[in-house]
Amino acid sequence: MSVRLNNKNILVSAAGQGIGRASAIACAREGARVFAVDINEATLATLVEECPEIQVHKLDVCDRGQINALAEKLPQLDGLFNCAGFVHHGSVLDISEEDWTFSFDLNVTSMYRMIQAFLPGMRERAKVQGTASILNMSSMASSLKGFPVRTLYGTTKAAVLGLTKGVAADFVQEGIRCNALCPGTVDTPSLRGRIASAPDPVEAEKNFIARQPMGRLATVDDMTPMVVYLLSDESRFVSGQALLVDGGVTI
Ligand code: NAD
């Protein structure tokens, strides 16, 4: 059995489906004690069926009270993967104030809340273990590249990079590392939802594939090796970075 995350306590948000779920399972298979959180209890229940060693908790990452209560309950973390996020569709002219507030709350502010709640325990843990790792979900659609109808999404994911670098800079001397994952287009339930809700779903899928120069969408399994690496001690000299796993889109 592989044990790259042996003896590590790792929390993954948005773990009910998609990249978060695959990451929670990959971390458990590498020996971590995984705490998987999501707002959706039904998908968390299927996660436990698939991987019984994972401990699941219903959590709304937009609710500071729930987050703080969970932080009190859980052991100190070695790894925190802030994965939750939402993709707004539209140009700047389509974004309502409500859209703006919602996307920033879920995609950015939630990470600030989670880090504030769990970092004190991670600092203690790093004193003993030498290191602890925060991973924030960004995207190739951020400050790294612009995409049509992704202005609000890209703005929030660029903010995630600023948050990541700030946290990395403040705690680097304590062994706390903070990095961001920037995926290309990944085949997940929410991507399938975006394709299905397009006026022409067949054309929409073709267009998503066309923007990936390798000629295919990423799978969640294309993402998990980088997640495991960034949460493991193998990346102990890596901090403050935006790591692209985009199949060459930004070549
Ligand atoms: P997804 O969108 O399919 O699933 C998101 C999960 O987040 C769901 O399980 C949902 O219940 C959960 N969630 C939603 N609101 C929540 C809340 N308030 N509190 C807790 N959980 C909540 O997953 P995905 O497509 O794998 O995306 C995950 C992350 O990866 C997002 O941040 C997304 O922006 C980012 N990302 C995705 C892609 C892609 O192409 N799929 C590309 C780049 C980045």
Side-chain angles (χ1 to χ4, degrees):
M1 186 182 146
S2 184
V3 286
R4 292 160 72 201
L5 297 171
N6 202 18
N7 199 30
K8 291 201 183 293
N9 298 325
I10 292 180
L11 186 148
V12 180
S13 79
Q17 65 183 37
I19 302 166
R21 182 186 182 105
S23 298
I25 293 170
C27 289
R29 297 216 164 121
E30 292 293 346
R33 189 177 310 115
V34 176
F35 305 96
V37 304
D38 200 289
I39 200 168
N40 185 332
E41 271 180 310
T43 53
L44 285 178
T46 65
L47 175 60
V48 179
E49 275 168 29
E50 187 178 348
C51 198
E53 64 267 37
I54 291 179
Q55 195 183 113
V56 299
H57 296 270
K58 184 182 180 194
L59 180 76
D60 178 355
V61 294
C62 296
D63 184 325
R64 180 181 282 276
Q66 285 184 26
I67 293 170
N68 290 345
L70 186 66
E72 295 265 302
K73 218 158 63 178
L74 296 188
Q76 293 165 350
L77 300 179
D78 302 280
L80 169 63
F81 181 17
N82 289 313
C83 184
F86 171 76
V87 181
H88 176 270
H89 180 96
S91 81
V92 69
L93 298 176
D94 304 314
I95 304 167
S96 69
E97 290 270 347
E98 290 73 23
D99 294 337
W100 188 271
T101 304
F102 174 78
S103 281
F104 264 87
D105 198 32
L106 181 53
N107 294 10
V108 189
T109 313
S110 70
M111 296 188 184
Y112 137 79
R113 291 187 195 105
M114 293 287 280
I115 293 169
Q116 273 197 341
F118 287 99
L119 181 54
M122 296 179 83
R123 294 174 83 181
E124 292 306 313
R125 191 81 173 154
K127 280 183 196 161
V128 179
Q129 303 292 331
T131 181
S133 174
I134 298 169
L135 177 58
N136 295 324
M137 180 57 95
S138 180
S139 173
M140 65 178 179
S142 55
S143 53
L144 304 171
K145 186 169 165 65
F147 288 86
V149 295
R150 290 290 180 266
T151 295
L152 176 51
Y153 182 69
T155 306
T156 63
K157 293 300 189 183
V160 169
L161 299 185
L163 173 70
T164 299
K165 285 183 180 287
V167 171
D170 281 335
F171 296 97
V172 63
Q173 286 171 347
E174 294 184 31
I176 303 286
R177 300 179 296 105
C178 185
N179 292 290
L181 178 64
C182 301
T185 309
V186 189
D187 198 345
T188 65
S190 72
L191 180 80
R192 286 290 148 195
R194 290 191 282 285
I195 289 171
S197 64
D200 181 344
V202 175
E203 190 61 23
E205 180 167 7
K206 240 194 262 172
N207 290 338
F208 276 121
I209 294 170
R211 69 184 198 184
Q212 292 295 141
M214 290 187 181
R216 67 168 178 88
L217 299 173
T219 68
V220 292
D221 297 327
D222 292 322
M223 300 299 130
T224 53
M226 183 63 96
V227 171
V228 168
Y229 168 71
L230 289 171
L231 292 172
S232 80
D233 295 347
E234 291 163 17
S235 59
R236 59 193 170 269
F237 214 58
V238 180
S239 194
Q241 300 308 303
L243 290 119
L244 276 157
V245 186
D246 68 351
V249 172
T250 54
I251 287 171

